[in-house]
């Protein structure tokens, strides 16, 4: 009988293909980082549960059925078309929310006995682990394995890291953005563009991922000279794919509202938009020169720390796609008006900002590094519970 298996081998007894072997190797290297990430997030949820028990509030509701989670669930269950008119002229339309998360929630709810909110929790749990994997690979590629593990730990322990465990789109977006950035760093241009397109269907800040892909292509062309035709085709394909998700939703929102600026008009109805940071600056100034001086000073220090970290990234000579991505995320967050309490959450996907701290932790003595990171993790867990029981997102 003629052997139906090719010499390369695809049958039951054949060795796995090279891509599968590389993926397994990458997963094995990342396993310590993923375990650290899972431990940090488990601690955060445990502290939230204890706090909720003492406060008489449901941690499950805080994570899956409040603020933006409700809007995503409604879109998953009913589709787009809900509008809320508020006193003062604000008009909250569900078109402000990009579709990938509710699509996934709807698919999981149809396949399994899950509510849309619980499906959102599953998406966030899986996405956050995938994000941690890609974040580790980026840190490892640039500065070594210990830096990769430290980078994941620091990202998991951000003050608003509890959002990574909520039925929000931050974890999904960060996973897609991080894998796109890793694909850029490793020259996988079509994958980079595909992940960027999906990120563009997740959040408006998907434009930052598009910028990273384009910068990666331009950098490769500048450094490598004239590439081979097949490589050039892959680069151009990635560059063309990258903005398609973001542009598609903007175009659809324009058609749905009957206006070319439909999505921007919807954001305006929510009181959002971009004014170069004037509204945020005024918000900080009112507190600095009013009774809430401590809060204003804290905001000023926080912004200064973020800008210092970005300057450290530049001094560190991070690859241009990472600098462009992190810079765009910061710019969009800091120059937007609207609910100012959400700015830390909006900056959470800018994980390259943590690379200087991760490198410092990796170079420190193990005992000192573990104690420092553990302290940050504990403070983050307590702050996350406090935050969700207070103002919290939206």
């Amino acid at each position: 009988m003629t052997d139906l298996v090719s010499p390369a081998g695809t049958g039951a007894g054949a060795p796995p293909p090279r891509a599968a072997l590389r993926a397994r190797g990458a997963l094995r290297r990342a396993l310590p980082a993923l375990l650290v990430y899972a431990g940090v997030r488990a601690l955060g949820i445990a502290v939230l549960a204890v706090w909720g028990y003492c406060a008489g509030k449901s941690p499950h509701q805080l994570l899956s059925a409040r603020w933006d989670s409700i809007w995503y669930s409604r879109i998953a269950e009913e589709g787009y078309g809900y509008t809320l008119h508020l006193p003062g002229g604000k008009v909250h339309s569900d078109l402000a929310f990009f579709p990938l998360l509710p699509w996934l929630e709807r698919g999981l709810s149809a396949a399994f006995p899950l509510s849309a909110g619980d499906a959102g929790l599953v998406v966030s749990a899986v996405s956050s682990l995938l994000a941690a994997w890609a974040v580790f690979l980026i840190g490892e590629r640039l500065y070594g394995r210990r830096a990769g593990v430290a980078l994941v730990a620091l990202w998991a322990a951000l003050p608003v890291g509890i959002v990574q465990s909520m039925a929000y789109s931050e974890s999904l977006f960060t996973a897609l953005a991080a894998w796109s950035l890793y694909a850029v760093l490793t020259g996988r241009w079509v994958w980079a563009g595909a992940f960027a397109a999906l990120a563009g269907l997740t959040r408006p800040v998907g434009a930052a991922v598009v910028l990273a892909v384009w910068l990666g292509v331009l950098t490769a062309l500048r450094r490598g000279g004239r590439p081979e035709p097949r490589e050039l085709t892959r680069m151009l394909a990635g560059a063309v794919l990258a903005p398609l998700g973001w542009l598609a939703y903007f175009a659809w929102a324009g058609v749905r509202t009957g206006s070319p600026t439909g999505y921007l008009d919807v954001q305006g109805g929510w009181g959002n938009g971009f004014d170069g940071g004037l509204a945020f600056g005024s918000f900080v100034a009112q507190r600095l020169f009013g009774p809430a001086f401590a809060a204003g000073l804290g905001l000023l220090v926080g912004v200064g720390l973020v800008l210092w970290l970005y300057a450290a990234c530049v001094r560190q000579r991070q690859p241009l796609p990472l600098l462009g991505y992190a810079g765009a995320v910061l710019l969009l967050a800091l120059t937007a008006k609207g609910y100012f309490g959400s700015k830390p959450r909006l900056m959470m996907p800018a994980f390259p900002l943590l690379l200087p701290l991760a490198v410092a932790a990796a170079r420190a003595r193990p005992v000192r590094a573990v104690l420092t990171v553990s302290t940050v993790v504990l403070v983050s867990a307590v702050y996350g519970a406090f935050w969700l029981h207070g103002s919290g997102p939206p």
Side-chain angles (χ1 to χ4, degrees):
M1 182 179 293
T2 304
D3 189 359
L4 297 179
V5 179
S6 67
T10 56
R18 291 180 180 178
L21 290 174
R22 287 197 298 267
R24 290 179 187 176
L27 182 56
R28 280 196 299 269
R29 295 197 312 274
L31 187 58
L34 296 180
L35 292 174
V36 167
Y37 177 82
V40 173
R41 294 290 2 111
L43 177 63
I45 294 173
V47 173
L48 177 67
V50 172
W51 196 302
Y53 176 80
C54 296
K57 291 185 178 181
S58 166
H60 178 264
Q61 183 183 19
L62 291 173
L63 294 173
S64 67
R66 287 192 72 187
W67 305 296
D68 290 3
S69 300
I70 297 175
W71 288 87
Y72 284 120
S73 295
R74 185 183 289 114
I75 295 169
E77 294 167 349
E78 304 172 9
Y80 284 98
Y82 181 79
T83 301
L84 182 64
H85 295 268
L86 299 175
K90 286 188 177 181
V91 179
H92 290 184
S93 167
D94 58 9
L95 292 174
F97 299 91
F98 277 50
L100 186 57
L101 176 57
W103 284 348
L104 293 174
E105 289 179 341
R106 185 167 187 170
L108 283 175
S109 297
F112 301 98
L114 294 171
S115 67
D118 287 339
L121 292 180
V122 172
V123 172
S124 287
V126 175
S127 297
S128 64
L129 283 169
L130 291 174
W133 186 7
V135 167
F136 165 79
L137 290 175
I138 291 171
E140 179 198 42
R141 181 176 182 84
L142 295 177
Y143 303 108
R145 191 177 187 188
R146 289 182 64 183
V149 174
L151 180 62
V152 168
L154 291 171
W155 182 67
L158 286 172
V160 293
I162 191 67
V163 176
Q164 298 163 13
S165 302
M166 296 177 67
Y168 267 49
S169 60
E170 272 74 12
S171 291
L172 178 60
F173 174 80
T174 305
L176 294 168
W179 280 106
S180 180
L181 289 169
Y182 181 68
V184 167
L185 295 178
T186 54
R188 296 174 172 89
W189 302 110
V190 176
W191 281 109
F195 283 125
L198 291 172
L201 286 171
T202 307
R203 296 189 64 81
V205 74
V209 192
V210 177
L211 175 63
V213 174
W214 287 353
L215 288 174
V217 170
L218 291 174
T219 301
L221 290 174
R222 182 179 178 182
R223 290 181 178 176
R226 185 177 179 84
E228 296 181 358
R230 290 181 63 181
E231 182 68 7
L232 180 60
T233 300
R234 294 190 188 98
M235 289 181 177
L236 294 177
V240 171
L241 275 173
L244 293 185
W246 190 82
L247 290 174
Y249 187 70
F250 267 71
W252 182 82
V255 172
R256 185 71 179 253
T257 59
S259 169
T261 60
Y263 182 76
L264 299 178
D265 297 338
V266 167
Q267 287 288 355
W270 281 77
N272 298 328
F274 297 95
D275 62 357
L278 292 176
F280 183 48
S282 175
F283 178 80
V284 174
Q286 289 174 8
R287 278 142 187 81
L288 282 174
F289 298 101
F293 172 78
L297 184 61
L299 287 170
L300 202 60
V301 170
V303 172
L305 175 61
V306 167
L307 296 178
W308 177 83
L309 283 173
Y310 187 74
C313 293
V314 174
R315 292 193 300 270
Q316 200 177 32
R317 296 186 177 181
Q318 290 183 17
L320 187 59
L322 293 189
L323 292 175
Y325 166 76
V329 172
L330 289 185
L331 182 67
L332 292 172
L334 294 177
T335 61
K337 57 183 179 180
Y339 179 69
F340 301 113
S342 65
K343 288 190 181 296
R345 175 174 67 85
L346 298 179
M347 290 187 284
M348 194 181 70
F351 64 88
L353 293 176
L354 301 172
L355 271 168
L357 300 178
V359 171
R363 292 175 179 172
R365 292 182 178 180
V367 173
R368 177 180 295 181
V370 170
L371 288 176
T372 302
V373 174
S374 298
T375 301
V376 172
V377 168
L378 289 172
V379 171
S380 171
V382 173
Y383 180 79
F386 167 78
W387 188 51
L388 285 196
H389 282 86
S391 60

